[in-house]
Amino acid sequence: MNEFDSIIGALAPDSLLRALSRDQLEGLLVKSSRRELSKGDVLINQGDEDGDFAVYLLSGALKISFVSASGREIILNYCAPNELVGEIALLDSGPRTASVSAVVQSEVLLLPTKLFLETVSTNPASVVGVMRELARRVRQLNLVVESDRTFSMGPRLARALVRLIDRNHSDGRLVYSPSQNDLGAFAGLARENVSRLLSEWESQSIIARVGRSLEVRDAEYLELLAEFGDDL
Amino acid sequence: MNEFDSIIGALAPDSLLRALSRDQLEGLLVKSSRRELSKGDVLINQGDEDGDFAVYLLSGALKISFVSASGREIILNYCAPNELVGEIALLDSGPRTASVSAVVQSEVLLLPTKLFLETVSTNPASVVGVMRELARRVRQLNLVVESDRTFSMGPRLARALVRLIDRNHSDGRLVYSPSQNDLGAFAGLARENVSRLLSEWESQSIIARVGRSLEVRDAEYLELLAEFGDDL
DNA sequence: GCCCTTCTGTGATGGCCATCACTATCGGGT
DNA sequence: ACCCGATAGTGATGGCCATCACAGAAGGGC
């Protein structure tokens, strides 16, 4: 029993890191650092030149966002535990193109770029895992472009909510309940309209509000809206 | 001298495939097929279940596009020679999410999924190359989301044109001159407005038209527009 | 050369949604 | 308990741009 057992034991069965051998994993962990984040802590700032680590989320939730040339925030994704983040900058040594911050108390591993790439690239099984993850992200972004271009507000917000549904529970709770502001930055619409839509959906019992957080009551409806857009 | 020498010799110096060893490359090529495409030929159809090959573009130009739920075409990218295409479906065995077609006469290699993945994943150098390529694509899509959400027509079209500038020549020719319809589907605006903007830019000598194809005369202006949007 | 399809130019119209301008409410820190 | 910043509700306004409706031009296949 060594000091990494608790980390390794806590890795999800489908974790990307699980594809590594025990030795590789320990070799990586010994050079990595573990870090606690409080709500709101910023881990990576858009523009940082320190692309020398990737982030593996152990627990909590992260927000990936950037500020566009026009000054508006765009939220690209919310991350759940066992996801890898920030590996884009690993690959082309430019400045970070997005910021990463904790939206709830979180625990992360900071993996050193070079070692991580070396370890992964010499392990065929984990290579495919990482590539799969990147591919998933490309697909997701394709969907965002689709909805931004061709959907009206309702379906766009529906997609955002569906993406936030916590698949670990069957009630409609979200992995994280963002403010209307953040929901807008995630779905691509103005905060005021988020407010209007949520009110409308609440009155139709499609969603509910418990305290300040949302719950999806009629996921099926939102999923239809998210899939087919306005011509539902 | 064997039958693959002509292909291998023609690979660009920075080609992804160059990272493979001679043996690996030949092993891959012997299982691959080469194909000629005429303008308009469709290589992959959105929805196809045959995710069993990736495409490597030897010469010509390809268009990657899909049709949104609302029926409108969205063009994700135009590919230049030595690019890898269609590897997303390799990684998560679902149906193809986009179509690929030739916009000019083209030559492609069809690489069998399984062998390609095996070959690449056992070659650390090429792994990094492929991952880098995926990362580039994620970055590109982030930029598309940014411009779709926060830029007006002008800057959006400017970005599309800048992406089409042929970097192999210093005059402002494009790698491929799409119709206004396609430009619209690429930049995310209506064909009519593409027409209006191009006319305006032509009168300002920012672009020029030779026959049916465009040339960028003031790339710097378009790049500024593309970078800073309306508040230029 | 001639049709017919595809592409292009340009005005008019209207709808969607961002923005502005408030007020109201919440929450958490000391 | 109190304040203050962050969050949320809601109407009014206007601008951007998609859409519609044509007409004209170009191209290419036989």
Side-chain angles (χ1 to χ4, degrees), chain A residues 14-41:
Chain A
D14 61 338
S15 166
L16 279 178
L17 299 181
R18 273 285 160 83
L20 298 174
S21 73
R22 177 83 190 197
D23 278 358
Q24 288 178 315
L25 194 44
E26 291 195 1
L28 187 55
L29 288 178
V30 77
K31 296 291 187 187
S32 303
S33 60
R34 187 177 184 155
R35 200 159 140 199
E36 287 276 340
L37 301 173
S38 310
K39 177 176 177 172
D41 282 359

Side-chain angles (χ1 to χ4, degrees), chain B residues 33 62 104 122 131 170 172 196 210 213:
Chain B
S33 60
L62 300 179
V104 297
T122 53
M131 285 179 24
S170 55
R196 285 182 255 264
V210 306
S213 73

Side-chain angles (χ1 to χ4, degrees), chain A:
Chain A
M1 180 91 180
N2 69 40
E3 55 171 321
F4 301 127
D5 279 347
S6 68
I7 293 181
I8 296 176
L11 292 179
D14 61 338
S15 166
L16 279 178
L17 299 181
R18 273 285 160 83
L20 298 174
S21 73
R22 177 83 190 197
D23 278 358
Q24 288 178 315
L25 194 44
E26 291 195 1
L28 187 55
L29 288 178
V30 77
K31 296 291 187 187
S32 303
S33 60
R34 187 177 184 155
R35 200 159 140 199
E36 287 276 340
L37 301 173
S38 310
K39 177 176 177 172
D41 282 359
V42 176
L43 192 55
I44 292 173
N45 246 306
Q46 177 180 6
D48 282 357
E49 298 283 357
D50 65 343
D52 52 358
F53 64 91
V55 177
Y56 185 85
L57 181 59
L58 292 169
S59 70
L62 301 178
K63 165 172 120 174
I64 321 289
S65 64
F66 68 99
V67 176
S68 86
S70 71
R72 206 198 324 251
E73 182 184 25
I74 292 176
I75 296 177
L76 292 169
N77 204 11
Y78 286 98
C79 289
N82 292 298
E83 285 191 66
L84 186 65
V85 180
E87 72 293 16
I88 304 296
L90 302 193
L91 293 160
D92 57 355
S93 57
R96 302 281 189 176
T97 54
S99 302
V100 177
S101 61
V103 291
V104 297
Q105 176 118 334
S106 303
E107 261 181 319
V108 296
L109 280 177
L110 305 184
L111 312 170
T113 292
K114 237 176 137 244
L115 181 60
F116 176 74
L117 280 183
E118 279 165 18
T119 307
V120 165
S121 65
T122 54
N123 182 314
S126 74
V127 160
V128 174
V130 172
M131 284 179 22
R132 203 184 300 279
E133 177 57 25
L134 286 167
R136 216 181 45 76
R137 211 160 304 179
V138 171
R139 270 193 206 260
Q140 179 59 63
L141 281 165
N142 288 349
L143 289 179
V144 172
V145 172
E146 179 193 16
S147 54
D148 280 2
R149 292 214 179 152
T150 67
F151 286 176
S152 64
M153 295 193 305
R156 286 214 303 278
L157 187 57
R159 278 204 177 175
L161 286 177
V162 167
R163 283 177 71 184
L164 284 169
I165 291 175
D166 187 345
R167 303 295 171 183
N168 294 133
H169 301 87
S170 55
D171 58 349
R173 88 179 70 169
L174 306 183
V175 287
Y176 160 67
S177 265
S179 69
Q180 291 184 356
N181 229 320
D182 280 10
L183 252 187
F186 191 40
L189 38 80
R191 197 222 90 224
E192 292 88 332
N193 293 319
V194 172
S195 179
R196 285 183 256 264
L197 281 169
L198 291 181
S199 298
E200 191 188 333
W201 287 348
E202 187 183 16
S203 74
Q204 300 170 236
S205 298
I206 294 163
I207 62 169
R209 315 196 193 194
V210 308
R212 179 140 300 210
S213 74
L214 296 177
E215 272 179 26
V216 172
R217 285 288 145 77
D218 189 349
E220 208 169 322
Y221 176 81
L222 289 183
E223 276 157 8
L224 279 175
L225 211 55
E227 185 169 0
F228 298 109
D230 307 287
D231 35 51
L232 181 59

Side-chain angles (χ1 to χ4, degrees), chain B residues 41-71:
Chain B
D41 283 359
V42 176
L43 192 56
I44 292 173
N45 246 307
Q46 177 180 7
D48 282 357
E49 297 283 357
D50 65 343
D52 52 359
F53 63 93
V55 178
Y56 185 85
L57 182 58
L58 292 169
S59 70
L62 300 179
K63 164 172 120 174
I64 321 291
S65 64
F66 68 99
V67 176
S68 88
S70 71

